[in-house]
Every structure is written in structure tokens, then in C-alpha cells.
Amino acid sequence: MTTAASPGALGLASDAEAPAISGIRLYRPALWFALMVTTGLAMAYRADLARGGKAVLGLGLLHALAASYIAFARPRHFPLLLIAYLPYNVRFPVNLGSSSLNLTNVLVLLGIVAMLSTRRPRRQPFGGLEYVLLAFMGFGLLAISTTIAAHGGRGLQTDINHFKQWLTPILVFFLARRVIEDREDLVDVIVAILWTSTLVGALTWWEGFTNVRGSIDRSRVGAIMSQANTMAAFLVYYSLPALALFLRLKHRGARALSLAAFLIMVRGMLYCMSRGAYLALAAGSAVVMLLSSPLLLVAGATSVVAAIAAPEYAPGVIPSSVLTRLKVTTKTDNSDPDASTDHLDSSSEHRLMLWHAGLAMMRAHPLTGVGLLRFGEVIDKYAIDREENDPFDAHEAYIKVGAEMGIPALLTMLLLLAWIGCASWTLYFRRTDLLDRSLALGMMGSLVGLMVSCLFGSRFVDDNLMSQFWVLVGSMRVLRYLPERVEPAERTA
């Protein structure tokens, strides 16, 4: 027997006040376990525990044991365990005997087991999105083959491990679309993503608040991602679903919690001082606000104009760290009084140099690319002005994909993003249930944030950054095949 909660109490009733998901159980052990694990990892990071220490190893072993049970007995809950751990896998890899047998690899293998163990019928036939994603995976396989051939077989294990990291977020999508069964599971996924991401935002906020370093570069916070731009992108991607819930839900408590999660993540993101993240957040927030209600059209437009004008006309309304970061896009050269005084800062100059080099790679290898994750290896052949200590990452996901995997792979990536956007758009405007519309709206906001963020960084396939995004995409695909209403006969255990 399940314990029913009214949809109004959960803040997820439909716009027509129909009992869309009134059969959600309040006691869900798998969800609570996932929340406790991610909270434990956050506490371990806050306490600066050793990555190979007994406490972290014990928590990892407990997580692996629970994952083993859930993969066979309760596969529908397996995405929750991925959400709880993967954001921390760089800081806490949890090697279970060797670096190859780490917790991430164990969870990936058990995820495949969960897909095979699920007993529900296949009501979700492959559609265009799945086939486009399979095509993108095929281009990735060809690209890693190019890399292995270029290395002459040396470092084969390293190349395979890199390909596994590239592939993991895509596998997470197929796992989510296969094992998630109903709206109860979707609510669990939303709660797990928001709780995990809010904790990460709080950790980033605290680290930034206690950081007393002098220069901007030293003051930037990388937190659990160990890289400031990646950390900022993570908080942008998963703060936007929280904003969507705040704007769409009717229950005051649920809206308050969603708003708190959004603000915590945004404040943490500001300490990362990533200009690309600022633009991604502004674009994603504008889309969410404009689509949520016509009444927010003016507010959305005003916020964009205010964000553009504030650094120049009202610098006091934005944090000083953000203002400083925006101002360093240009620098003043006083060495030559006859020359122009405004120049791009070194970071922007390096990006332009890398982008030109990436375009040169695409021209030289238009079909196959230079090989997966080989951009940094071959950069010196295409960037003649690059110095030894200059950055070697592409700093642009689209150029990186085109340079490493070829132009056909880049076109497939763009088609994939467009397909996700169209599917979310259709779901948002055709459904009336609040959960359905909130998930679709959050998906669109996160997608826009991702697309803008990828203009300024290579942030499309990292497993710790992108896995939650692909869980959201998988959840949206499940929702497409769910009936819009849950009939009373379906609410019994």
C-alpha cells in the first residue's frame, strides 16, 4: 500500500487542478539514501578529507553495495545514485583496488545491469533523438580510433579511459530513458538533482567567501570540479530548472525551496568569476522567464538590459568581484602613447588564437578530425604564435568537436541540441500538468545555458558536468510516453 499525498501539498498539481500525480509516496528509501550520500560527500569535501582516506572509501563502498542491490532489485531508482555521486568523482574518485576499478566505472557497469534488469515493457521506441545520439556516438568511436592510430597503440589504456569518460554521460541518457517508470520517479530525479546541485553551490559559495587571495585568477573558485569555468557551468545548468520550478509551481513552500536553491547556486557561481557563465545564466533565465508567463516578458527584457547596463551605469548593484571580472575583458597599454590604449586581456587573446587554430584543424581534417581529445596535442602545428605556457584547450565546444571529430560530427551535435530544444518546446506547450510543463521549461533553460556556455568552453561531454543534464533529457523522453493524467486505478501498490 502506498501513502498518498495530495498534489497540492507537493506543489505539482496540473494547471487545471486535476490530480495528476496524487499517488506519490512520501517514504522513498532510494531517494533518501541518495540524498544522504551526496550530503556525506559534501561534508567530506568541506572537512577537506583525504581523497583516499578511510571515511571516503567507506562511503564509496557503501554506495557501491547499494548500487549493486538497486541495479538488480530496483533499477528504476538507479539514476538517483549517479546523480548523487558523479559531480564529486574528480574530487573523490574512490579507487576500489586500482585506478581502473573506481566508483565511476563500477556505477557505469551496474547501470548497464540496471538497464537489462528492468522488467517493464519497452513502451518507448527509439525516435529521432536516439538515432541522432547514436550517430554522434559513432563519430566518437571513429575519433577515438583516429587517436589510437595517431598514438601507434601507445597509451591504449589511457585512450580507452578517456573515451569512457566521454561516453559516460550519453550512456546515462539511455539508462534514464530505460529505467524511469512514472512521475514518481521523475519527482525523485528532480529532488536529487536540486539537492545535489544546491549543496555544490553552497560549497562553492563558502569557498569563495573564505578565499582571501589577491589576484582575480587566484580568487576564482573551482570547488569540487577543480576548475572555475567548469564549476560555473555546472551551477548554471542546474540552477535553471530550479528557476523554472519557482515560476511554475503553485505551492508556496515548493516555490520558496526552489527559489532558495536557485539563489544559492547563482551566488556560488559568481565566485567562479566566469564571464561565459554570466552570459549563459542570463540567456537561460531570460528564456525561462519569457516562456513561463507573458506577464514576465517585460521583466525578462528589463533584466537583460539591466545586466548589460549595470557595469557601466550602476556598478554598485552588482558584486565587486563580478564587476572586476567584467572589466578585465580589456586592458590598458600605457607603454606606447601613440597606440590604441584598449586591448583584449590575455585570456581573450588566447581564446581567439585557439579558435583560429581549431578552425585550421577543421580545414585540414574536415571529415575525421584530428582525433578525440587530441586538440592539445596538435595545437602547436596550427597556432604559430602560441608560447609554451599558453593554454591548449579549445575553450569552445563547437570548435573542439569539429576539430577533433570532424565537421559531420559537429553538424550532428547541432542537430542533437536542436532536437532536444524542439522536443522540450513541444512538451511544454502541449501539456497542462504542472510537473510536465516544469520539467520541459527547466530543460529548455538548461539547454540554452549549455549552448551559450559551450561558446566559451569545452563543456559538452564531461561526466561530472553533463551526467545530470542527460538524466534530465532522458526524463523528458520518458515523460513524452506517459499519459497526461494518472487514473485512480493506477494509484494502488
Side-chain angles (χ1 to χ4, degrees), residues 220-377:
R220 302 181 68 195
V221 176
I224 66 169
M225 299 289 171
S226 301
Q227 209 281 334
N229 291 325
T230 304
M231 188 70 262
F234 178 93
L235 295 174
V236 169
Y237 297 171
Y238 308 118
S239 64
L240 292 168
L243 178 62
L245 291 174
F246 165 68
L247 294 174
R248 292 300 312 164
L249 299 184
K250 294 183 177 180
H251 189 269
R252 292 182 180 178
R255 295 187 66 192
L257 291 174
S258 300
L259 179 60
F262 173 74
L263 294 177
I264 289 172
M265 283 185 264
V266 169
R267 189 62 188 97
M269 182 273 296
L270 295 180
Y271 279 113
C272 300
M273 302 184 192
S274 171
R275 291 165 290 187
Y278 301 157
L279 293 176
L281 179 67
S285 298
V287 167
V288 171
M289 287 189 292
L290 297 180
L291 292 178
S292 62
S293 172
L295 297 177
L296 292 175
L297 177 62
V298 175
T302 302
S303 65
V304 173
V305 173
I308 297 173
E312 183 69 25
Y313 299 103
V317 303
I318 58 177
S320 58
S321 59
V322 176
L323 182 62
T324 303
R325 183 61 175 160
L326 292 174
K327 286 183 175 180
V328 299
T329 303
T330 59
K331 62 182 180 180
T332 302
D333 183 6
N334 296 320
S335 59
D336 185 359
D338 297 325
S340 177
T341 58
D342 291 332
H343 302 270
L344 291 174
D345 69 299
S346 59
S347 175
S348 301
E349 289 175 346
H350 289 153
R351 287 174 187 254
L352 289 175
M353 178 263 293
L354 293 166
W355 294 347
H356 286 302
L359 293 174
M361 291 182 200
M362 279 191 271
R363 289 192 294 269
H365 305 273
L367 296 180
T368 61
V370 299
L372 193 66
L373 303 178
R374 291 196 67 228
F375 190 96
E377 291 183 21

Side-chain angles (χ1 to χ4, degrees), residues 384-400:
I384 58 177
D385 296 329
R386 181 179 177 275
E387 299 180 0
E388 183 178 358
N389 295 326
D390 287 346
F392 52 84
D393 181 73
H395 287 289
E396 220 271 15
Y398 308 106
I399 289 179
K400 183 179 177 69

